[in-house]
Amino acid sequence: MAVKVKKIPIEYLQTMQKRKTTSGYSPSFVLAFLSMLFACLHEFTQNIFSEVFSSFNYTFTVVSIMAIIIYQLYILLSFRYYKYKYVLIIGLLGIAYFALLYLFLFSGLTRALYLCSMILNLLVYKRYKLSNSEKNKLYWLFILLVIIMIINGSVKGMVIDNKVNPNTSGLLLMLIFCMSIVRFRKSKKVLDFLIAVSSFGLQFLYQSRTATVGCVAFLTLVILFCGGRKYCTTYFAAFIILLISVISVVFAYWYAEILYQSVGRGNITIFGKDLFTGRQYIWNLAFESIRKNFWFGVGSDFNEDLAAIQNNSALLNAHNQSLGILTSFGVTTFVMFTLVFAYLTSRSCETTDKCKRKVTFRLPIVFIVSILIMNFAETNFFYSWGMVIMAAYCFICNNCEKIKKRRYLMLMERNAER
């Protein structure tokens, strides 16, 4: 019996008709590839033109991010049946206004653009799924990216100064570790397992404590929560992301104001480094900045005068993502971004269970939670690597897709066209 056309979700049918660009790849794959390419070029230009960062590198960064955002908007606004098109346009006008505001008043444009691009990534990745061949290509492109960046920043196992730092290499290895674990759970191939083990073992070479914590957190959460039950409610997933973001601020206060006063420097070492490497001092400054600039933040001007006096560029970075957003943009933007990010993340990996309820895959949420735990001591969302994180998130979301359901819907589409 022929399948009725009206049973096919109109949004799904429109997606399938528009899912491939003129290049032959889905928009999600092209966007993920552009994100990784931009991250590589951005890192190389910083290394080569480090002395003129304020001119060439700043211009290159802003122009590149704006080009990616324009491409994201082109994808979303060309989606004919996109429900929230007008809301998106109004929101983007607001984003443009605040971007110009921060450009001329607080000089926080690049950080604002990175956050906006991550939000748009979630919208694109939800609408356009990857094919099996695209997932495979994206995985090996990630591995190629890691190899290039490690070669760029390592000689004979030693990290060169002013190039890729250990935390960056550790982050990339953590992404490969998570992606390999996801592939291994599905394929059971020895090669995927060996890549996962190798990427985790290299963490001890680069000695990135934040990335190692991220690997351990991801593996632990996968074992605990992604075994028998693969889903959770969408509201619960959003709540968890909100909770972790708030806990990040609480953790920074506890670390700087309570733990440091109780333990002191030199008593606890991890990977040969003291537990207190100066973040407690920076986080104290961050909380002072938040009290003085509670509503709108300070843009990119965090500790600029103090960093110039002490000749210490580390003071310019809040080293905590939640604190970084609070100090740069104030509490209003922090609340708005956290709410939108949590909502869109929980919806981007949404599916329908056997009881026809809207639920969210647990595995992508576990990945995002692991990244947020890493961001207790990093601000990855303020740099080009935040876009690479979202590309890895796209890969993990697509590997959670129900193959049987997808084939069934494709079969429905073919029958309808007949």
Side-chain angles (χ1 to χ4, degrees), residues 119-241:
I119 294 297
L120 294 175
N121 271 337
L122 292 172
L123 294 174
V124 173
Y125 293 150
K126 176 178 174 57
R127 296 293 170 182
Y128 298 93
K129 303 301 181 183
L130 301 177
S131 65
N132 289 331
S133 62
E134 288 172 344
K135 287 185 285 187
N136 188 55
K137 291 177 182 178
L138 184 60
Y139 176 72
W140 291 109
L141 281 172
F142 258 96
I143 293 180
L144 179 62
L145 168 67
V146 172
I147 292 174
I148 291 174
M149 299 313 296
I150 286 179
I151 292 176
N152 176 59
S154 302
V155 175
K156 297 180 181 180
M158 300 300 292
V159 179
I160 298 178
D161 293 335
N162 299 323
K163 285 199 173 183
V164 180
N165 62 46
N167 288 333
T168 300
S169 299
L171 170 64
L172 294 174
L173 290 169
M174 183 266 181
L175 297 179
I176 290 295
F177 173 79
C178 297
M179 295 167 69
S180 300
I181 290 294
V182 171
R183 273 174 63 98
F184 176 71
R185 292 177 79 247
K186 195 171 184 179
S187 68
K188 307 300 181 184
K189 292 182 179 179
V190 177
L191 180 59
D192 296 332
F193 177 76
L194 291 177
I195 293 176
V197 172
S198 300
S199 57
F200 182 74
L202 286 173
Q203 297 289 358
F204 295 91
L205 172 64
Y206 287 95
Q207 298 184 348
S208 173
R209 295 179 292 184
T210 55
T212 304
V213 169
C215 291
V216 173
F218 178 78
L219 186 59
T220 303
L221 293 174
V222 166
I223 294 173
L224 292 177
F225 301 108
C226 299
R229 300 185 63 183
K230 298 181 180 180
Y231 315 109
C232 61
T233 63
T234 302
Y235 293 110
F236 179 75
F239 172 75
I240 289 297
I241 295 174

Side-chain angles (χ1 to χ4, degrees), residues 15 36-37 41 55 116 122 143 274 282 293 333 335 355 372:
T15 301
M36 292 187 292
L37 180 63
L41 293 176
S55 56
C116 293
L122 292 172
I143 293 180
D274 183 46
I282 295 175
N293 307 276
T333 302
V335 172
C355 299
L372 293 177

Side-chain angles (χ1 to χ4, degrees), residues 204-327:
F204 295 91
L205 172 64
Y206 287 95
Q207 298 184 348
S208 173
R209 295 179 292 184
T210 55
T212 304
V213 169
C215 291
V216 173
F218 178 78
L219 186 59
T220 303
L221 293 174
V222 166
I223 294 173
L224 292 177
F225 301 108
C226 299
R229 300 185 63 183
K230 298 181 180 180
Y231 315 109
C232 61
T233 63
T234 302
Y235 293 110
F236 179 75
F239 172 75
I240 289 297
I241 295 174
L242 288 172
L243 180 63
I244 297 297
S245 300
V246 174
I247 289 177
S248 179
V249 179
V250 177
F251 170 81
Y253 181 84
W254 171 78
Y255 177 95
E257 301 290 343
I258 300 175
L259 185 63
Y260 176 69
Q261 302 296 332
S262 302
V263 177
R265 302 195 68 171
N267 294 317
I268 300 177
T269 58
I270 303 174
F271 282 149
K273 304 175 187 176
D274 183 46
L275 177 64
F276 301 98
T277 56
R279 280 183 173 84
Q280 70 282 353
Y281 175 59
I282 295 175
W283 289 348
N284 283 328
L285 295 174
F287 283 115
E288 292 180 6
S289 176
I290 292 171
R291 296 187 189 100
K292 296 177 182 178
N293 307 276
F294 184 74
W295 295 108
F296 298 105
V298 295
S300 297
D301 299 328
F302 178 57
N303 294 333
E304 278 194 348
D305 295 336
L306 187 61
I309 294 173
Q310 298 187 12
N311 193 25
N312 186 3
S313 60
L315 295 175
L316 300 173
N317 187 351
H319 295 280
N320 180 292
Q321 189 60 66
S322 295
L323 275 183
I325 297 175
L326 280 169
T327 55

Side-chain angles (χ1 to χ4, degrees), residues 256-412:
E257 301 290 343
I258 300 175
L259 185 63
Y260 176 69
Q261 302 296 332
S262 302
V263 177
R265 302 195 68 171
N267 294 317
I268 300 177
T269 58
I270 303 174
F271 282 149
K273 304 175 187 176
D274 183 46
L275 177 64
F276 301 98
T277 56
R279 280 183 173 84
Q280 70 282 353
Y281 175 59
I282 295 175
W283 289 348
N284 283 328
L285 295 174
F287 283 115
E288 292 180 6
S289 176
I290 292 171
R291 296 187 189 100
K292 296 177 182 178
N293 307 276
F294 184 74
W295 295 108
F296 298 105
V298 295
S300 297
D301 299 328
F302 178 57
N303 294 333
E304 278 194 348
D305 295 336
L306 187 61
I309 294 173
Q310 298 187 12
N311 193 25
N312 186 3
S313 60
L315 295 175
L316 300 173
N317 187 351
H319 295 280
N320 180 292
Q321 189 60 66
S322 295
L323 275 183
I325 297 175
L326 280 169
T327 55
S328 295
F329 305 109
V331 68
T332 304
T333 302
F334 171 76
V335 172
M336 292 176 58
F337 173 79
T338 305
L339 288 173
V340 173
F341 181 77
Y343 173 76
L344 293 180
T345 302
S346 62
R347 292 294 303 274
S348 63
C349 51
E350 194 177 52
T351 186
T352 304
D353 65 1
K354 296 179 180 179
C355 299
K356 298 182 179 181
R357 298 173 303 178
K358 292 294 184 181
V359 293
T360 297
F361 285 108
R362 290 187 174 189
L363 196 58
I365 300 301
V366 163
F367 172 74
I368 288 296
V369 168
S370 301
I371 293 295
L372 293 177
I373 291 174
M374 286 178 58
N375 283 347
F376 279 18
E378 296 293 341
T379 51
N380 292 310
F381 293 172
F382 280 167
Y383 301 99
S384 58
W385 302 118
M387 301 174 68
V388 178
I389 290 173
M390 299 313 298
Y393 176 74
C394 174
F395 173 86
I396 292 175
C397 282
N398 279 270
N399 273 274
C400 292
E401 187 178 359
K402 289 182 178 179
I403 301 298
K404 292 182 179 179
K405 179 181 178 181
R406 182 175 181 180
R407 288 178 180 172
Y408 174 69
L409 290 174
M410 292 179 68
L411 180 61
M412 292 174 64

Side-chain angles (χ1 to χ4, degrees), residues 76-80 82-90:
L76 292 172
L77 297 179
S78 63
F79 188 74
R80 182 178 177 184
Y82 188 64
K83 294 180 180 179
Y84 306 104
K85 180 184 293 186
Y86 297 106
V87 177
L88 178 64
I89 294 174
I90 295 173

